[in-house]
Amino acid sequence: MTTAKQWVLASRPDGPPTVENFRFEEVELPELSDGQILVENTFASVDPYMRGRMNNVKSYIEPFQIDEPLTGTAVGVVAESRSNKFKVGDTVRHFAGWRTHAVLNEDQAEQIDTNLAPAEAYLGILGQTGLTAYVGLTAVGEMREGDVVFISGAAGAVGSAAGQIAKHLGAAKVIGSAGSPEKVDYLTEIGFDEAFNYKDGDVNGQLAKAAPDGVDVYFDNVGGDHLEAAIQNANTFGRIAMCGAISQYNDTEPAPGPRNLGLSIGKCLTLRGFVVGQYTHLAKEFQEKIAPLVVDGSIKYESTVREGIDNMPAAFLELFEGGNTGKMIVKF
């Protein structure tokens, strides 16, 4: 193998990104050095956080660079190896997605066991997705047995995992919001106690109806009107784990803060933002407590799969239109 195909950032978007912000290239691969492997990618992840990396701003992760290949989590098979750690045929997970092949140092990849779960599961529920859900509920949201938990973006990869994990951790009630009747049905099928379609309007009213006794923990993937509704319906000493704000990622002007933020004072609320990279010390705990529930089917997961590396940008853009249930994955 001497060449690979890859996507690079062609330009930075102003507002919602388009396919014109990406460029498809074929590049020469370098020869392997000692300690390196060549991975042929089979699945790659696209995620909402990548939108922020398209902007040239300082954040918790480096922005994508113009004319440079995009990165993200992928799984693949070792095609060539000059490493004592990996052999040809091993399946590995790494961060050099958005390309057909990647030359990696052996410390840039980790082996995964596809006998336990399909390879794509390691991009979602058995990867950063599942860990994000667990961390947000436990370390950030400080969820306790008997809590009422509300999750926005609940049919997405993190949201659907968080809802099921909350039930296994002893939540008295788990409520989810999603953007279609089909997604609402999906949430109740996987164990949410109640779910509503936010496109029906009045998020605050729908949440109040679903949680007449109030909300103890809110797992925020959306921001905006969902965050306001959570503050309005929060119980005293409620906790809000701020994981994402996808409703605002394509805004060209700064979004106003919640109009009812002042309620947080009298209610003694805790609003805490987090990124999973600050909680990697909990990965072992997650694997011990939650991964077995995934393997035995107690916690279910869904993947929305798009075919072909040609469709990477289109799959990414679908995230902002609600085109996915569960994890959005591209199969090469």
Side-chain angles (χ1 to χ4, degrees):
M1 178 59 62
T2 59
T3 62
K5 294 179 179 179
Q6 64 184 22
W7 285 99
V8 304
L9 185 66
S11 60
R12 299 195 187 279
D14 181 19
T18 68
V19 292
E20 284 72 29
N21 297 125
F22 304 87
R23 186 174 67 251
F24 202 36
E25 295 183 342
E26 187 166 342
V27 295
E28 294 287 329
L29 288 169
E31 291 189 10
L32 297 186
S33 300
D34 289 342
Q36 289 187 323
I37 55 175
L38 172 65
V39 178
E40 181 176 359
N41 286 333
T42 53
F43 294 92
S45 174
V46 290
D47 302 282
Y49 82 88
M50 294 175 176
R51 175 60 186 86
R53 298 187 70 195
M54 298 180 77
N55 301 328
N56 191 23
V57 295
K58 185 176 181 181
S59 185
Y60 65 92
I61 187 170
E62 289 295 317
F64 296 132
Q65 299 300 312
I66 299 293
D67 297 327
E68 292 295 324
L70 301 161
T71 56
T73 311
V75 296
V77 177
V78 176
E80 297 179 27
S81 177
R82 291 187 61 180
S83 163
N84 294 324
K85 185 177 178 181
F86 300 105
K87 65 181 184 300
V88 171
D90 286 346
T91 303
V92 298
R93 178 172 56 191
H94 59 86
F95 200 62
W98 293 81
R99 68 201 76 186
T100 57
H101 298 78
V103 174
L104 304 170
N105 297 327
E106 60 183 23
D107 61 356
Q108 295 175 311
E110 60 177 320
Q111 190 168 357
I112 59 176
D113 186 352
T114 54
N115 292 317
L116 288 178
E120 56 266 36
Y122 290 89
L123 293 177
I125 189 69
L126 291 178
Q128 295 289 82
T129 295
L131 181 59
T132 299
Y134 181 76
V135 162
L137 290 169
T138 59
V140 182
E142 299 178 353
M143 197 205 109
R144 297 184 285 267
E145 190 173 348
D147 279 346
V148 174
V149 178
F150 171 46
I151 300 166
S152 59
V158 172
S160 57
Q164 294 179 83
I165 292 172
K167 291 297 291 184
H168 282 279
L169 293 177
K173 190 174 191 179
V174 177
I175 303 159
S177 69
S180 73
E182 294 78 13
K183 289 182 178 180
V184 168
D185 290 343
Y186 168 69
L187 293 179
T188 56
E189 288 169 5
I190 62 174
F192 281 68
D193 297 293
E194 292 201 35
F196 62 85
N197 184 351
Y198 68 85
K199 291 183 180 178
D200 289 341
D202 189 18
V203 173
N204 180 58
Q206 292 193 81
L207 178 58
K209 182 179 179 180
D213 296 324
V215 172
D216 300 301
V217 176
Y218 171 48
F219 195 115
D220 190 17
N221 292 305
V222 173
D225 56 355
H226 282 72
L227 180 55
E228 285 192 0
I231 292 172
Q232 188 71 38
N233 290 279
N235 288 326
T236 303
F237 295 111
R239 288 84 66 202
I240 296 177
M242 303 174 71
C243 179
I246 195 171
S247 68
Q248 302 167 12
Y249 287 170
N250 291 321
D251 291 351
T252 56
E253 298 293 332
R259 293 168 295 180
N260 58 353
L261 188 60
L263 292 177
S264 302
I265 301 170
K267 292 187 175 189
C268 303
L269 303 184
T270 299
L271 287 76
R272 183 183 299 174
F274 77 101
V275 292
V276 71
Q278 299 293 335
Y279 294 86
T280 55
H281 60 283
L282 295 177
K284 182 179 179 182
E285 179 179 308
F286 165 75
Q287 292 294 331
E288 292 174 349
K289 290 186 177 181
I290 305 301
L293 299 174
V294 177
V295 174
D296 70 16
S298 298
I299 290 180
K300 304 181 187 306
Y301 64 93
E302 186 80 16
S303 297
T304 299
V305 181
R306 299 292 180 250
E307 297 279 344
I309 189 174
D310 295 3
N311 288 317
M312 285 285 289
F316 171 67
L317 297 180
E318 275 193 77
L319 293 171
F320 303 95
E321 300 170 355
N324 62 302
T325 298
K327 186 72 172 175
M328 179 68 88
I329 293 172
V330 179
K331 180 181 180 181
F332 292 175

